[in-house]
Amino acid sequence: MITIGQLARYVGVSIKTIRVYHDKGLLPEPDRDASGYRRYGANDAIELVKIRTLAEAGVPLARIRDLRSATDEEFQQALREIGNELTDRIRGMRATRGRLRQLAAGHLAPLPTEVGAYLEQLARWGFTPRWVDLQRDLWILVFATHPDLAITLFHDQAEILANPALRQLFLDYDHAHDLGVDDPCLDDLARRIVEATRERYGRDELPELDADSEIPALIQGTVNASSPAWQRLDTLIRAHVDA
């Protein structure tokens, strides 16, 4: 028979841990000697090794307590279930690590891979870093608030920019950022944007978020706030649409 200190040392746990296991009903209280000290035998050591192994594997203590009375078949099934749970947890932790890395890189939230590739392509096409950053932030907002519709909207815009003539309109929009609000180029650009939109969609409705969503207005307001010229351009576009 050995003392609690010897048992703790042999198995590799602390005395406090053993006492916790006693309190939670994982390890039965052993008989005490004439002096009132706990005395442990080989079976106690074996049980403690099992408990320690399961605990180190991440099995909750309440689950370990239930497993003590399980049959061998039930024990094996429980271990398989615990293994599957751990696999799911690992997958979730890896996803969390990936999001943390994106945050460390300055990305507020993860975007689909194709959106990231698209943003990189914008720079190669000659869009300013300001425009690329604005697009990233706005797509983060759309994907966060309307995940079911966002990918359709994204594919539509990506298709538009794949067309060199239409892409030039966006480039002109980007570069109009620093123009004066009275620059005649703004009215010409607004007219060309409306004409291209009508030619692309005809009488079909443009892909957009649901009518009750406030996100489109929020996005346009963010764009307009970035530049007086862009705000003027938005006003001119609306005027040409209503004309």
Side-chain angles (χ1 to χ4, degrees):
M1 304 296 287
I2 58 176
T3 65
I4 189 172
Q6 291 171 316
L7 177 64
R9 185 166 63 254
Y10 293 151
V11 177
V13 298
S14 67
I15 294 176
K16 181 179 180 181
T17 297
I18 295 177
R19 287 174 176 157
V20 169
Y21 292 165
H22 284 320
D23 292 340
K24 294 186 177 297
L26 276 72
L27 188 66
E29 284 276 358
D31 294 331
R32 295 176 180 261
D33 61 18
S35 300
Y37 293 106
R38 297 182 178 95
R39 294 296 178 179
Y40 298 85
N43 288 337
D44 297 313
I46 293 171
E47 286 298 315
L48 184 56
V49 169
K50 291 179 180 179
I51 295 170
R52 184 204 64 187
T53 302
L54 290 170
E56 289 178 346
V59 181
L61 296 184
R63 192 79 172 272
I64 295 174
R65 184 177 58 245
D66 295 337
L67 290 176
R68 289 191 65 255
S69 59
T71 65
D72 184 64
E73 183 178 348
E74 292 172 338
F75 185 78
Q76 295 300 324
Q77 177 60 30
L79 289 183
R80 286 191 291 270
E81 293 174 357
I82 293 168
N84 292 335
E85 292 171 4
L86 289 174
T87 298
D88 292 339
R89 286 173 56 191
I90 291 170
R91 187 179 296 114
M93 292 175 69
R94 286 174 175 168
T96 299
R97 181 177 62 184
R99 288 192 290 270
L100 289 174
R101 287 175 175 172
Q102 288 185 318
L103 286 172
H107 304 316
L108 179 62
L111 287 168
T113 302
E114 58 185 317
V115 179
Y118 162 83
L119 293 171
E120 293 177 358
Q121 182 63 51
L122 291 181
R124 291 192 289 270
W125 277 331
F127 286 91
T128 63
R130 174 193 59 238
W131 180 270
V132 175
D133 289 343
L134 179 62
Q135 290 295 305
R136 176 183 293 109
D137 291 345
L138 295 181
W139 280 120
I140 286 174
L141 177 61
V142 174
F143 272 92
T145 57
H146 294 75
D148 295 337
L149 297 174
I151 196 66
T152 299
L153 297 175
F154 167 73
H155 285 158
D156 183 67
Q157 186 173 109
E159 185 177 308
I160 290 173
L161 266 70
N163 182 312
L166 297 179
R167 182 166 66 242
Q168 188 59 51
L169 286 176
F170 278 81
L171 282 165
D172 291 344
Y173 197 120
D174 176 17
H175 297 147
H177 180 275
D178 297 323
L179 294 179
V181 293
D182 296 325
D183 195 307
C185 291
L186 293 177
D187 189 65
D188 178 66
L189 178 56
R191 177 185 54 77
R192 289 190 290 126
I193 289 174
V194 173
E195 289 177 354
T197 301
R198 287 172 174 166
E199 181 178 351
R200 176 174 172 78
Y201 298 104
R203 295 186 177 182
D204 296 334
E205 292 186 2
L206 279 66
E208 59 183 1
L209 301 179
D210 55 89
D212 295 332
S213 175
E214 297 180 355
I215 297 301
L218 183 62
I219 289 175
Q220 191 59 56
T222 301
V223 172
N224 291 347
S226 303
S227 160
W230 281 354
Q231 183 176 9
R232 174 62 176 164
L233 186 56
D234 179 45
T235 301
L236 291 170
I237 290 173
R238 294 176 188 275
H240 280 290
V241 168
D242 295 337

